[in-house]
């Protein structure tokens, strides 16, 4: 690998047998992704797909807290605040990696144990074998930092059953194993206590299709299946304002949604109004696009245009930098965000600046 020792330490690679292993190794930062890490993973996957000695790939996170909490949003904050373009380069390579994972010709096994958010979803949920545990917390929480689901998140959420994906996109809610399986963000449940044995079998050369059934189990029931009826009634509305109105109606005394629907409405109203409207449009457009790579092209436009939005800097400041949890969104209300404001996020970037996610 043509990378320095510091990057080598943050992404550990091993291919001593038929199972190649990627270990994200920034446990103190919840294995948050940096640009050099993305490049190192891409380089490894590209080499392994042409290596006949490698028959499958395993990705995992170091430490006990999770696979990956997302991208390095402090760096994105600094880039957006300075008006520079480093983030655009990071996203370009990250989204191309997401596309590579989705079309990978060999079994790509993702251990989605613990926290798996944002960029961590992009590293795992596009893979062919996606494993969650009772400790898994999977989320696309971007609306809370003035951003929009990316890394193929609009594609993933857009194809979830009914309106579950819209609910998760707008609220940014984290889900456990059963709900991740229901929303097609994962394929298999393995109790956390069995991960070491499963990994040992894979490293010993067992094909994942043979080893996995010996370790799978049944997760505890989730929450979304029981909330599906009112979620599917509320979220097809044409606007975020109407979605909130329907949720509050469900939350009234006697409404089927009860406190959960009211809580969803209150959660949404705390997010960036601009991000909410752009997110709703992005998920619905991604459904129409159908293909992941076309959705990534759209997401790249939205992400790059978001660098000029005041809410991205403000949201990261409030949640991560100052941690006062009191963002001052601009515009401050849903009513103030116009259709023209939303359309600007989907505007073409210009010749030579668009994403080309293919090889």
């Amino acid at each position: 690998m043509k990378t320095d020792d510091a990057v080598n330490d943050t992404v550990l690679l091993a291919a001593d047998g038929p199972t190649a292993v990627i270990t994200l190794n920034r446990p103190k930062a919840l294995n948050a992704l940096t640009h050099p890490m993305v490049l190192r993973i891409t380089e490894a996957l590209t080499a392994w797909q042409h290596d006949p000695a490698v028959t499958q790939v395993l990705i995992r996170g170091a430490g006990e807290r999770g696979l990956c909490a997302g991208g390095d949003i402090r760096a994105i904050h600094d880039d957006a605040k300075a008006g520079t373009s480093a983030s655009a380069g990071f996203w370009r390579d990250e989204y191309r990696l997401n596309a590579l994972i989705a079309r990978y010709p060999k079994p790509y096994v993702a251990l989605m144990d613990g926290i798996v958010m944002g960029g961590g979803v992009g590293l795992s949920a596009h893979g062919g074998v996606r494993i969650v545990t009772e400790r898994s917390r999977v989320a696309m929480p971007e609306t809370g930092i003035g951003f929009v689901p990316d890394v193929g998140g609009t594609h993933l959420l857009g194809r979830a059953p009914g309106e579950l994906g819209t609910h998760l996109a707008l609220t940014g809610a984290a889900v456990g194993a059963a709900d991740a399986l229901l929303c097609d963000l994962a394929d298999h449940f393995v109790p956390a206590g069995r991960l070491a044995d499963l990994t040992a079998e894979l490293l010993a050369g067992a094909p994942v299709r043979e080893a996995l059934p010996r370790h799978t189990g049944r997760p505890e029931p989730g929450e979304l299946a029981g909330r599906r009826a009112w979620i599917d009634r509320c979220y097809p509305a044409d606007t975020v304002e109407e979605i909130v109105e329907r949720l509050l109606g469900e939350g009234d005394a006697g409404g089927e949604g009860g406190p959960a629907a009211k809580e969803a409405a209150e959660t949404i109203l705390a997010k960036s109004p601009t991000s909410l409207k752009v997110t709703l449009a992005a998920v619905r457009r991604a459904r129409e696009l159908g293909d992941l790579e076309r959705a990534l092209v759209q997401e790249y436009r939205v992400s790059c245009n978001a660098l000029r939005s005041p809410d991205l800097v403000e949201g990261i400041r409030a949640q991560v930098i100052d941690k006062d949890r009191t963002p001052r969104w601009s515009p401050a209300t849903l009513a103030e965000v116009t259709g023209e404001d939303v359309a600007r996020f989907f505007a073409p970037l210009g010749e030579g600046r668009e994403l080309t996610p293919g090889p």
Side-chain angles (χ1 to χ4, degrees), residues 96-120:
R96 286 177 63 87
L97 173 58
N98 302 146
L100 173 62
I101 290 168
R103 63 173 181 267
Y104 208 65
K106 300 177 180 181
Y108 179 94
V109 185
L111 302 187
M112 301 172 69
D113 186 35
I115 292 173
V116 185
M117 297 184 179

Side-chain angles (χ1 to χ4, degrees), residues 209-274:
R209 66 180 179 275
E210 295 179 7
L212 187 57
R214 292 192 284 270
H215 301 280
T216 54
R218 185 183 298 274
E220 292 294 321
E223 299 176 343
L224 292 181
R227 300 177 178 181
R228 176 78 185 272
W230 60 262
I231 285 174
D232 284 355
R233 279 197 302 272
C234 293
Y235 286 90
D238 291 337
T239 65
V240 179
E241 291 95 325
E242 188 178 349
I243 289 172
V244 170
E245 184 179 340
R246 291 186 187 186
L247 288 169
L248 291 173
E250 287 282 342
D252 288 342
E256 182 182 352
K262 182 180 179 183
E263 181 182 354
E266 293 171 347
T267 297
I268 290 171
L269 289 172
K271 310 298 185 184
S272 158
T274 301

Side-chain angles (χ1 to χ4, degrees), residues 265-290:
E266 293 171 347
T267 297
I268 290 171
L269 289 172
K271 310 298 185 184
S272 158
T274 301
S275 294
L276 289 169
K277 289 198 171 184
V278 176
T279 294
L280 182 62
V283 170
R284 291 184 172 170
R285 289 183 183 211
R287 284 178 183 162
E288 297 299 319
L289 292 171

Side-chain angles (χ1 to χ4, degrees), residues 157-235:
L157 297 174
R159 70 179 189 180
E163 293 295 326
L164 295 179
T166 311
H167 169 70
L168 296 181
L170 295 181
T171 62
V175 298
D179 289 333
L181 293 167
L182 173 63
C183 292
D184 195 24
L185 299 172
D187 307 301
H188 307 279
F189 173 77
V190 173
R194 298 184 193 174
L195 284 182
D197 289 342
L198 171 61
T199 300
E201 286 195 38
L202 297 178
L203 293 181
V208 66
R209 66 180 179 275
E210 295 179 7
L212 187 57
R214 292 192 284 270
H215 301 280
T216 54
R218 185 183 298 274
E220 292 294 321
E223 299 176 343
L224 292 181
R227 300 177 178 181
R228 176 78 185 272
W230 60 262
I231 285 174
D232 284 355
R233 279 197 302 272
C234 293
Y235 286 90

Side-chain angles (χ1 to χ4, degrees), residues 285-298:
R285 289 183 183 211
R287 284 178 183 162
E288 297 299 319
L289 292 171
D291 177 74
L292 169 63
E293 295 197 2
R294 295 174 69 193
L296 287 168
V297 170
Q298 173 179 273

